[in-house]
Amino acid sequence: MKMRAAVLERFGEPLAVQEVELAEPRAGEVLVRLHACGVCHTDLYTASGADPSGYAPTVLGHEGAGVVEAVGPDVTSLGLGDHVVTLFSPQCRECIHCLDPRTNLCLAIRERQNEGFLPDGTTRLSRGGEGIRHFMGCSTFAEYTVMPEIALAKVSPEAPFEHACLFACGLSTGLGAAINTAAVRPGATCAVFGAGMVGLGAVAGCRLQGAERIVCVDLSPQRLELARGQGATDLIEGGEGAVEQILEMTDGFGADYTFEATGNVAVMRQAVEAARMGWGLCTVAGVAGRGETLDVVPRLLITGRRIAGSSFGGVKGRDQVPALVDRYLAGEIDLEPFVSHRLGLDEVNRGFELMEAQDGIRSVIEFS
Ligand SMILES: NC(=O)c1ccc[n+]([C@@H]2O[C@H](COP(=O)([O-])OP(=O)(O)OC[C@H]3O[C@@H](n4cnc5c(N)ncnc54)[C@H](O)[C@@H]3O)[C@@H](O)[C@H]2O)c1
Ligand SMILES: [Zn+2]
Ligand SMILES: [Zn+2]
């Protein structure tokens, strides 16, 4: 079939919205008609050429929500009309990682996905007979996508698409960092560094876990106000003095749980330093630049602090994204403040501009 899609032709150039070919789903694959897709830093990072593992041409986008339009052979868990959220982090339910509750890093299709191919090593996207690669296994800056069944979460049809798509990346990452990775205890004191989509999700996750005090640290006063709306009880301006302020607020001890959601290694260090001696757990969700390292005084660890990394919030996507969406539908999370701009597919480059200007939390592309 023919469809419109935003193609990254060359790094550093605007995406080119154009007509491309999408082939039918093969065994284990599903055709999804997209209704909404968030614009994320990772898309921009790849488009800019800064990601050394990036490739072009490719159709970007990985925060999609839509409806199943057709299924290939052997697809058993999804059917026509199902509402789905795309998962760059799949869940096959069979590999040793999927069978272990300690991780969500499914091993089934990692290598092929990283190369821009579907699990059988080919692509469904093309133009004039030349293949176009899939981005993060998703390629959702397009009217339709073909994805493996194991990379789609079936969610309630009651969730509006523009909100459902937020669960495809940053929101679930933040919520899961608090709920899964840190497993914040009721009554705890938490400190969240960064109030973008990930950090705000972590603030909401700490609140849902019953934290008593949630300190949020960011450079932007507007973003700190959004954090208050998600349950932050104390707001701190980021920078040099942030750790000291958190220590002062906690009788000199630090927070039971800290979260880093900026991608800045100096802030990661602050998040470790702001964790309580004895049992403080620092969860790192931000993605640092290539080659950067985290500099921590080992004494902080000997005296009981721990550091954990969290990819997609430790969320096993097919099982947990539907459950998170249900909590949103039950009124436990307010997502309206996160959708700052609604754009058409033709305006996708404007979405990048808004992100670079830190204008709002998420621009969402809506497909008519
Ligand atoms: N682990 C995962 O699976 C996963 C998934 C999605 C995103 N991420 C990563 O998480 C990070 C955050 O993503 P996002 O979409 O929320 O980004 P974002 O850019 O929207 O938010 C980052 C926030 O950090 C704030 N900040 C910058 N410097 C600061 C400082 N010194 N002190 C306090 N706050 C500071 C910024 O003001 C901004 O509000 C990025 O590194 C992103 O790549 C990780
Ligand atoms: Zn993303
Ligand atoms: Zn698996």
Side-chain angles (χ1 to χ4, degrees):
M1 65 186 284
K2 291 199 187 303
M3 64 159 185
R4 289 180 66 72
V7 181
L8 171 66
E9 302 276 8
R10 271 173 297 276
F11 298 118
E13 290 182 12
L15 305 187
V17 179
Q18 59 191 272
E19 200 171 81
V20 303
E21 279 285 340
L22 183 67
E24 307 244 296
R26 294 187 189 169
E29 297 174 359
V30 176
L31 173 68
V32 177
R33 178 175 181 179
L34 291 156
H35 284 252
C37 179
V39 180
C40 176
H41 296 275
T42 312
D43 300 304
L44 178 61
Y45 182 58
T46 296
S48 71
D51 179 2
S53 61
Y55 38 77
T58 184
V59 173
L60 292 180
H62 62 283
E63 299 190 353
V67 177
V68 172
E69 188 104 345
V71 298
D74 308 330
V75 170
T76 55
S77 66
L78 290 171
L80 298 194
D82 283 345
H83 288 215
V84 291
V85 166
T86 62
L87 302 171
F88 67 84
S89 180
Q91 183 191 359
C92 76
R93 296 182 172 143
E94 287 170 3
C95 73
I96 50 166
H97 282 183
C98 279
L99 294 174
D100 195 305
R102 292 175 295 186
T103 182
N104 64 333
L105 298 176
C106 175
L107 300 170
I109 60 174
R110 281 179 90 76
E111 280 150 39
R112 289 299 188 200
Q113 180 174 320
N114 288 342
E115 292 162 357
F117 298 112
L118 290 184
D120 73 353
T122 63
T123 116
R124 303 291 157 272
L125 292 160
S126 64
R127 180 182 48 192
E130 172 219 9
I132 299 177
R133 285 199 257 179
H134 298 247
F135 177 65
M136 292 173 81
C138 297
S139 286
T140 47
F141 286 166
E143 292 172 314
Y144 294 85
T145 183
V146 169
M147 290 180 61
E149 170 185 28
I150 62 168
L152 292 166
K154 178 177 168 177
V155 299
S156 168
E158 280 166 39
F161 294 107
E162 63 174 17
H163 289 165
C165 72
L166 303 176
F167 288 91
C169 184
L171 176 62
S172 295
T173 298
L175 287 168
I179 297 171
N180 298 323
T181 311
V184 168
R185 293 193 193 185
T189 295
C190 302
V192 178
F193 290 80
M197 188 76 257
V198 176
L200 292 168
V203 168
C206 291
R207 171 176 52 79
L208 292 176
Q209 290 292 105
E212 190 176 302
R213 202 155 180 205
I214 305 170
V215 184
C216 189
V217 188
D218 200 287
L219 303 174
S220 148
Q222 293 96 320
R223 289 190 165 206
L224 287 174
E225 274 315 311
L226 289 175
R228 192 191 296 285
Q230 296 301 324
T233 54
D234 301 81
L235 308 175
I236 293 182
E237 190 188 338
E240 290 283 302
V243 174
E244 239 165 51
Q245 284 187 66
I246 292 168
L247 294 179
E248 271 167 30
M249 287 172 160
T250 52
D251 297 328
F253 283 116
D256 301 314
Y257 301 93
T258 64
F259 297 87
E260 184 283 330
T262 70
N264 178 327
V265 291
V267 179
M268 291 179 192
R269 176 181 175 157
Q270 288 190 313
V272 177
E273 291 171 350
R276 195 191 193 286
M277 85 178 276
W279 59 71
L281 174 62
C282 170
T283 300
V284 175
V287 178
R290 191 179 170 83
E292 289 185 316
T293 58
L294 172 55
D295 188 13
V296 169
V297 179
R299 182 182 45 79
L300 293 174
L301 306 180
I302 299 283
T303 47
R305 293 165 193 84
R306 291 174 300 141
I307 308 173
S310 184
S311 171
F312 194 49
V315 169
K316 288 183 187 278
R318 288 160 83 198
D319 293 344
Q320 281 183 281
V321 164
L324 291 173
V325 170
D326 287 345
R327 294 190 80 167
Y328 147 67
L329 287 172
E332 292 188 61
I333 316 164
D334 178 15
L335 299 184
E336 195 49 43
F338 296 152
V339 182
S340 331
H341 302 276
R342 293 167 176 81
L343 308 172
L345 180 60
D346 289 313
E347 300 169 288
V348 60
N349 292 304
R350 167 119 181 90
F352 285 159
E353 285 163 23
L354 289 165
M355 192 161 42
E356 282 182 308
Q358 271 214 5
D359 183 334
I361 298 296
R362 266 295 180 277
S363 295
V364 171
I365 296 173
E366 294 185 309
F367 301 88
S368 46

